[in-house]
């Protein structure tokens, strides 16, 4: 008889410190006990060996989720530091298990004959992990790999902490706020010194660099933004790259990129460079055409200008969209009050995927902050998970936008729980922020729908890492559809966003997509090159790569690598955003643009792609959904529009 799993009980407000410790340690103790049992008395049946290993991996995953999430979001610094310690303990045990020759012998002895497809895949992937951990190396090499792994997690935490803790700001005169939306100005009172503080957090930097007319103030804030965590993280990055280089070399790989790419769709490191160059070539004509438009508009204000950089480009792109493409972002944002957008997103995804989002009162959910909204998730009348939306900035919190696991779902054992961590305004949102919210929510949907599997290995967003962004990028399309937006986008007078405005927004969004692609390829090249080529001066190398791949020049005095968080999490694989976009555009071609809620297509996508998690290779999931292998055709056509 199976019992229905319940959501993870969270502690009362004053018990978080002990709870994080206890949750982490009890799961680590369980993982060690199960591994001990596996080694001392392995079951005679191969399937039972794998199930025991699955239980151990589930416990390790539970501890890891607590460590990684609460180190980034809990308002209490002591809790964040305790969570960091849990994450360190998780990494140490994970490394020890990957280098455990006795454990490896037990799993390597499993006979795959008679296993079903999922179990066979678990076995194959597990043995591959052991090999990539270095279990077959000599004792001295294994010891050094263990040291490197422990060093890597400490460096990762230091890198993230330096970004979280370095909120910079400028102080400007009230007249320097000219061009800013009224509600934004109202939320930024003049201080005792007669000046207004503008920070590098997203609710400030995004609208300020878009709307503020004062060019020097924009430049000052963007420069501060691009020097977050400098110089501390420059040293941390050098250490991270050195650890990864040595790690890959000890395992016999030419570079970290080769090691990392082996388990991704792309397959090998050199293919990353080829992909970057291919996208660069595809996007260059569009990039140069649209940049010329920006420069021409800049020259109306500064006739002597010979180039335009990243401190000016967002502002002039907004002017071009307003003056030439008839889209005023300040008017657009009046249709997107935060609360309405959040509910609209739930309604849209509920209708699209057949999900029901049921609000959970905070006294029941007992979340870590009063602004976190919690919902239970049901599908076809069955509760399948819980989500938590932590969407506004605060001190000490993760500064970007991402989905974190709280619990990975396993059938009849535990319900999937995911957390969306963002930094949005509490008032009106830019449409770009609406798109970002749809994007990140796509990860959450993927996590919950794929949380109904026997094997934790395949639970949630468990596909190859260069596919994980594709479902999220595809969900962005619903944030651009007039009929979809009409269901929730209304201004203070209750007027629905006009369809012709949305169509104009789409045309305006197409402006700049070429130079945006080139910018993404600069980031991808940075990510790849730093892991392949050793360099003494990261900023100097950044300048070289920017000159080659971006159409915008380097902004003097900046060091964006120091707060480019993806250099840690994505390592050499930032290309995955564009790789995934190629696939997302192809998958979206299966939908009828005039009926984005077609239940047959949406249901097939839900069941054949999202709900599968990591049970099959991503290329096979996409082929099953499309009825053919994916191609570049839809992406190339979109880029050429």
């Amino acid at each position: 008889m199976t019992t229905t799993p319940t959501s993870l009980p969270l502690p009362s407000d004053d018990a978080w410190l002990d709870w994080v410790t206890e949750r982490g340690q009890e799961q680590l103790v369980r993982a060690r006990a199960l591994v001990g049992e596996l080694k001392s008395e392995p079951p005679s049946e191969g399937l039972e060996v794998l199930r025991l290993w699955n239980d151990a991996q589930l416990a390790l995953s539970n501890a890891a989720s607590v460590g990684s999430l609460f180190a980034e979001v809990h308002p209490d610094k002591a809790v964040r530091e305790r969570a960091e310690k849990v994450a360190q303990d998780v990494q140490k045990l994970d490394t020890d298990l990957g280098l455990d020759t006795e454990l490896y012998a037990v799993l390597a002895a499993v006979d795959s004959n008679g296993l079903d497809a999922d179990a066979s895949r678990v076995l194959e992937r597990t043995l591959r992990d052991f090999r990539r951990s270095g279990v077959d190396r000599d004792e001295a090499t294994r010891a050094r790999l263990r040291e490197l792994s422990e060093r890597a997690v400490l460096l990762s935490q230091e890198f993230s902490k330096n970004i979280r803790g370095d909120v910079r700001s400028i102080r400007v005169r009230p007249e320097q706020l000219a061009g800013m939306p009224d509600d934004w100005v109202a939320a930024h009172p003049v201080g005792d010194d007669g000046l207004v503080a503008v920070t590098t957090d997203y609710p400030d930097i995004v609208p300020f660099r878009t709307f503020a007319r004062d060019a020097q103030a924009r430049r000052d804030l963007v420069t501060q933004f691009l020097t977050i965590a400098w110089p501390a993280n420059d040293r941390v990055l050098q250490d991270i790259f050195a650890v990864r280089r040595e790690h890959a070399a000890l395992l016999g790989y030419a570079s970290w990129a080769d090691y990392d790419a082996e388990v991704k769709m792309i397959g090998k490191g050199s293919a990353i460079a080829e992909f970057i160059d291919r996208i660069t070539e595809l996007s260059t004509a569009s990039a140069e055409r649209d940049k010329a438009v920006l420069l021409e508009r800049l020259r109306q204000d500064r006739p002597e200008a010979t180039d335009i950089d990243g401190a000016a480009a967002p502002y002039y792109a907004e002017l071009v969209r307003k003056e030439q493409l008839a889209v005023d972002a300040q008017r657009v944002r009046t249709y997107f009050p935060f609360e309405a957008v959040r509910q609209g997103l739930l309604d849209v995804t509920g209708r699209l995927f057949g999900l029901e989002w049921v609000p959970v009162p905070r006294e029941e959910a007992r979340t870590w902050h009063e602004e976190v909204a919690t919902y239970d998730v049901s599908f076809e009348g069955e509760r399948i998970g819980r989500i938590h939306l932590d969407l506004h900035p605060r001190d000490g919190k993760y500064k970007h936008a991402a989905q974190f696991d709280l619990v990975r779902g396993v059938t009849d054992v535990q319900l999937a729980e995911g957390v969306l961590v963002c930094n949005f305004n509490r008032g009106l949102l830019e449409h770009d922020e609406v798109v970002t919210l749809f994007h990140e929510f796509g990860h959450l949907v993927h996590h919950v729908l794929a949380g109904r599997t026997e094997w934790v290995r395949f639970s949630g967003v468990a596909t190859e890492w260069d596919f994980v962004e594709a479902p999220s990028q595809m969900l962005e399309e619903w944030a651009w559809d007039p009929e979809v937006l009409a269901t929730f986008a209304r201004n203070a007078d209750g007027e629905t966003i006009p369809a012709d405005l949305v169509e104009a927004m789409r045309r305006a969004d197409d402006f700049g997509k070429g130079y945006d692609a080139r910018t993404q390829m600069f980031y991808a090249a940075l990510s790849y090159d730093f892991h392949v080529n050793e360099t003494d001066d990261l900023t100097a190398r950044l300048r070289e790569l920017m000159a080659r791949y971006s159409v915008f020049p380097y902004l003097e005095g900046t060091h964006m690598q120091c707060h480019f968080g993806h250099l840690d999490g994505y390592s050499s694989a930032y290309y995955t955003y564009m790789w995934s976009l190629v696939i997302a555009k192809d998958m979206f071609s299966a939908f009828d643009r005039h009926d984005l809620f077609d239940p047959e297509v949406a249901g097939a996508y839900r069941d054949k792609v999202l709900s599968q998690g990591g049970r099959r290779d991503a290329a096979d999931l996409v082929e099953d959904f499309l009825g053919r292998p994916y191609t570049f055709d839809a992406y190339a056509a979109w880029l050429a529009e």
Side-chain angles (χ1 to χ4, degrees):
M1 177 180 173
T2 60
T3 57
T4 302
T6 59
S7 297
L8 179 66
L10 297 178
S12 57
D13 288 346
D14 59 354
W16 275 95
L17 193 62
D18 289 340
W19 182 86
V20 165
T21 303
E22 291 164 4
R23 171 70 174 173
Q25 291 308 314
E26 75 179 13
Q27 294 298 311
L28 288 170
V29 167
R30 174 169 168 76
R32 291 188 188 97
L34 289 165
V35 168
E37 180 182 343
L38 196 53
K39 292 197 295 184
S40 62
E41 299 180 46
S44 57
E45 294 293 325
L47 184 59
E48 294 308 311
V49 170
L50 293 179
R51 284 177 173 157
L52 198 56
W53 174 241
N54 188 56
D55 291 343
Q57 288 289 288
L58 181 59
L60 194 63
S61 167
N62 287 339
S65 295
V66 166
S68 62
L69 172 64
F70 293 113
E72 298 285 7
V73 303
H74 202 280
D76 186 334
K77 183 180 179 182
V79 176
R80 295 198 301 271
E81 291 176 346
R82 187 68 57 85
E84 287 178 349
K85 179 61 169 63
V86 171
Q88 293 164 18
D89 293 343
V90 168
Q91 184 60 45
K92 185 178 187 307
L93 178 56
D94 190 47
T95 300
D96 288 344
L97 296 181
L99 294 168
D100 188 328
T101 54
E102 292 180 52
L103 176 61
Y104 174 64
V106 171
L107 288 156
V110 170
D111 184 356
S112 61
N113 290 325
L115 298 178
D116 65 16
D118 282 355
S120 294
R121 185 174 172 86
V122 168
L123 178 61
E124 184 269 325
R125 289 291 191 266
T126 299
L127 297 179
R128 184 184 71 179
D129 288 348
F130 273 104
R131 176 182 59 78
R132 286 171 51 80
S133 295
V135 72
D136 55 351
R137 305 288 159 155
D138 60 59
E139 187 174 343
T141 302
R142 294 200 310 275
R144 181 57 181 160
L145 287 167
R146 186 176 286 109
E147 292 173 1
L148 290 171
S149 178
E150 293 174 10
R151 174 79 172 133
V153 72
L154 293 175
L155 289 168
S156 173
Q157 290 177 340
E158 185 179 359
F159 184 71
S160 180
K161 190 185 299 184
N162 288 341
I163 296 172
R164 286 200 314 269
D166 192 13
V167 179
R168 303 193 176 198
S169 64
I170 61 171
R171 299 189 70 78
V172 299
R173 301 182 307 278
E175 61 266 27
Q176 290 179 286
L177 301 183
M180 295 301 294
D182 290 342
D183 62 301
W184 190 96
V185 174
H188 290 73
V190 179
D192 294 340
D193 59 358
L195 301 177
V196 177
V198 186
T199 76
T200 52
D201 276 345
Y202 282 107
D204 279 6
I205 180 72
V206 172
F208 199 83
R209 69 186 179 190
T210 306
F211 300 123
R213 293 178 194 149
D214 190 301
Q216 189 58 53
R218 285 199 315 270
R219 178 172 296 275
D220 290 345
L221 186 62
V222 171
T223 299
Q224 288 297 318
F225 180 70
L226 295 176
T227 51
I228 288 172
W230 163 265
N233 270 353
D234 207 62
R235 174 192 57 79
V236 177
L237 280 173
Q238 290 283 24
D239 291 345
I240 287 173
F241 300 147
V243 164
R244 289 172 177 169
R245 276 193 300 271
E246 184 180 354
H247 189 127
L250 286 173
L251 293 172
Y253 294 86
S255 72
W256 175 267
D258 286 311
Y259 169 77
D260 190 60
E262 182 184 40
V263 292
K264 293 180 168 59
M265 294 181 77
I266 205 163
K268 57 183 181 178
S270 60
I272 298 173
E274 294 166 5
F275 176 75
I276 292 170
D277 287 341
R278 181 176 184 182
I279 297 296
T280 299
E281 182 180 354
L282 274 173
S283 57
T284 292
S286 172
E288 292 178 346
R289 179 189 67 232
D290 288 350
K291 183 189 175 183
V293 175
L294 290 185
L295 184 56
E296 180 182 1
R297 179 59 186 84
L298 171 62
R299 284 175 175 153
Q300 293 180 31
D301 296 341
R302 290 174 43 209
E304 77 284 2
T306 59
D307 206 345
I308 184 167
D309 61 27
Y315 175 76
Y316 282 95
E318 170 56 23
L319 283 185
V320 167
R321 292 182 178 111
K322 181 178 179 179
E323 296 169 356
Q324 302 178 27
L325 301 171
V327 174
D328 180 354
Q330 294 215 34
R331 178 194 173 201
V332 170
R333 67 196 296 276
T334 64
Y335 292 98
F336 295 111
F338 169 77
E339 296 287 350
V341 171
R342 184 178 65 183
Q343 186 57 49
L345 171 66
L346 295 171
D347 293 342
V348 167
T349 51
R351 179 182 171 192
L352 182 63
F353 299 117
L355 299 172
E356 183 181 4
W357 313 98
V358 181
V360 180
R362 184 165 186 258
E363 55 268 24
E364 178 185 337
R366 297 200 295 193
T367 52
W368 50 96
H369 192 272
E370 61 185 10
E371 288 190 313
V372 177
T374 300
Y375 300 84
D376 281 334
V377 191
S378 294
F379 177 67
E380 295 182 343
E382 177 189 356
R383 184 163 169 252
I384 63 170
R386 175 172 283 188
I387 62 169
H388 306 274
L389 307 181
D390 188 349
L391 302 180
H392 304 302
R394 58 180 177 269
D395 289 344
K397 180 187 165 186
Y398 182 77
K399 294 300 177 190
H400 302 292
Q403 181 256 320
F404 289 80
D405 298 348
L406 179 55
V407 177
R408 293 174 72 181
V410 174
T411 301
D412 297 330
V413 178
Q414 58 188 36
L415 288 174
E417 288 194 59
V419 182
L420 201 57
V421 182
C422 300
N423 288 275
F424 295 123
N425 246 315
R426 295 166 180 82
L428 300 175
L429 298 184
E430 316 297 331
H431 183 254
D432 282 353
E433 294 177 301
V434 177
V435 174
T436 297
L437 183 55
F438 270 71
H439 173 102
E440 298 299 342
F441 200 81
H443 292 304
L444 209 52
V445 171
H446 199 176
H447 173 73
V448 172
L449 282 175
R452 298 168 294 159
T453 173
E454 177 183 0
W455 304 100
V456 68
R457 172 95 200 197
F458 305 142
S459 179
V461 186
T463 64
E464 296 97 315
W465 201 241
D466 44 3
F467 179 74
V468 297
E469 298 296 337
S472 290
Q473 288 167 326
M474 198 174 82
L475 192 59
E476 292 178 20
E477 302 282 357
W478 276 257
W480 286 103
D481 183 76
E483 293 184 13
V484 171
L485 291 179
T487 64
F488 65 86
R490 295 178 181 84
N491 63 19
D493 295 327
E495 298 165 340
T496 299
I497 191 167
D500 60 350
L501 175 58
V502 179
E503 291 299 339
M505 287 160 56
R506 290 190 70 114
R507 291 192 299 272
D509 185 61
D510 279 342
F511 176 78
K513 64 187 172 186
Y515 63 65
D516 284 343
R518 286 286 299 267
T519 300
Q520 288 292 307
M521 290 306 92
F522 157 56
Y523 296 155
L526 199 70
S527 159
Y528 174 72
D529 186 89
F530 280 175
H531 285 88
V532 172
N533 300 309
E534 189 171 354
T535 178
D536 293 332
D537 188 334
L538 296 179
T539 301
R541 185 58 178 155
L542 177 148
R543 295 184 71 153
E544 294 172 8
L545 293 167
M546 193 168 186
R548 178 176 175 183
Y549 289 103
S550 175
V551 297
F552 298 113
Y554 170 77
L555 190 62
E556 289 296 332
T558 60
H559 312 272
M560 66 80 64
Q561 73 273 10
C562 290
H563 87 133
F564 187 25
H566 290 309
L567 284 175
D568 177 34
Y570 277 72
S571 70
S572 55
Y574 188 81
Y575 77 91
T576 62
Y577 276 92
M578 193 60 73
W579 179 277
S580 295
L581 184 59
V582 169
I583 299 173
K585 291 294 182 185
D586 203 17
M587 290 195 298
F588 186 62
S589 69
F591 284 82
D592 180 349
R593 286 180 180 268
H594 301 292
D595 184 12
L596 292 186
F597 292 101
D598 181 301
E600 185 175 344
V601 181
Y605 171 64
R606 178 195 63 218
D607 298 338
K608 294 182 177 182
V609 178
L610 297 181
S611 296
Q612 296 299 314
R615 293 178 62 198
R616 299 174 64 193
D617 289 352
D620 294 334
L621 297 179
V622 175
E623 183 171 356
D624 190 26
F625 171 58
L626 292 176
R628 57 167 175 76
Y630 70 90
T631 72
F632 267 74
D633 296 349
Y635 174 82
W638 167 76
L639 204 58
E641 285 176 355

